Amino acid sequence: MSTSSITKMTAPPSTAYKIVDVPEAYADVIRRHGIPGTFVGASEEESPWVPFGPNAAIRHLLFDTRHNIFSNILWIKSAGVIGTHKHRGTVVMVCLEGSARYLEYDWVAGPGAFIHETPGLVHTLVTDHPDGVKLFGWLQGPIEFYDDKGTFVETLDVWWFINHYESYCREHGLPINTQLYV
Ligand SMILES: [Fe+2]
């Protein structure tokens, strides 16, 4: 094969509006052991806003107990603070609405901004925006919360987030959406 025949993909190779069968050597293995993806629609019937203190709520999207991963939208409803916390894992977030920042850093995240947090970071999330902030988050690993004296209070992990969601559903007679569990 001459090097001139090697091409690099610069765009999707097909724009055909159809389902395409592709080769898969391990289709049977995937069928037996693969885990299907999930879908959670935007409505509160599929996942409600669960209060997280008087000025915030969490809309849970995914719980992965194998990897201690949880995904959600955090909504701080007006200017306010989510207490100081320490990460023992990795977090990625995208700001959807409003704005947020950390007291420890000099940037402000507005709609579309991307945030990456790594193990060992300790910081204090605030929003100065009158309408608060909505942050989509994909979070892995425990998060330790501290009070304003620096005293450890509680660890939030996938079990805490599942309990937060299920307790609210039970108290309000809402069905548990199995699509949130992978
Ligand atoms: Fe954080």
Side-chain angles (χ1 to χ4, degrees):
M1 185 185 289
S2 71
T3 54
S4 62
S5 67
I6 296 173
T7 57
K8 286 185 178 171
M9 199 174 119
T10 57
S14 170
T15 55
Y17 192 85
K18 58 181 268 198
I19 295 172
V20 179
D21 279 330
V22 298
E24 174 51 65
Y26 306 106
D28 177 59
V29 180
I30 293 171
R31 209 165 13 251
R32 286 184 289 113
H33 297 292
I35 295 170
T38 57
F39 174 80
V40 179
S43 76
E44 284 217 67
E45 282 79 60
E46 302 204 35
S47 185
W49 288 107
V50 181
F52 185 46
N55 191 41
I58 295 172
R59 187 163 185 269
H60 298 280
L61 299 175
L62 177 137
F63 308 117
D64 177 351
T65 59
R66 288 178 179 80
H67 304 100
N68 203 356
I69 287 171
F70 31 103
S71 181
N72 56 61
I73 300 171
L74 171 65
W75 179 20
I76 308 175
K77 298 179 182 181
S78 62
V81 180
I82 295 286
T84 303
H85 57 273
K86 179 190 290 184
H87 290 277
R88 298 289 185 184
T90 298
V91 171
V92 296
M93 293 195 294
V94 173
C95 180
L96 304 177
E97 297 174 14
S99 71
R101 65 189 182 92
Y102 285 103
L103 295 180
E104 291 79 0
Y105 315 138
D106 61 2
W107 46 257
V108 179
F114 173 76
I115 302 167
H116 181 221
E117 305 179 356
T118 50
L121 287 182
V122 179
H123 47 212
T124 309
L125 180 65
V126 305
T127 173
D128 304 310
H129 196 290
D131 296 329
V133 69
K134 280 185 181 156
L135 292 166
F136 165 78
W138 181 269
L139 307 98
Q140 178 271 319
I143 305 169
E144 299 171 353
F145 275 81
Y146 293 80
D147 70 12
D148 66 349
K149 308 278 192 304
T151 303
F152 170 77
V153 176
E154 190 171 353
T155 296
L156 275 55
D157 59 8
V158 70
W159 309 116
W160 185 94
F161 280 81
I162 290 174
N163 183 65
H164 187 242
Y165 168 66
E166 292 188 349
S167 298
Y168 182 85
C169 290
R170 270 196 302 276
E171 286 164 16
H172 293 81
L174 303 174
I176 302 290
N177 184 352
T178 58
Q179 285 291 104
L180 272 62
Y181 302 77
V182 301

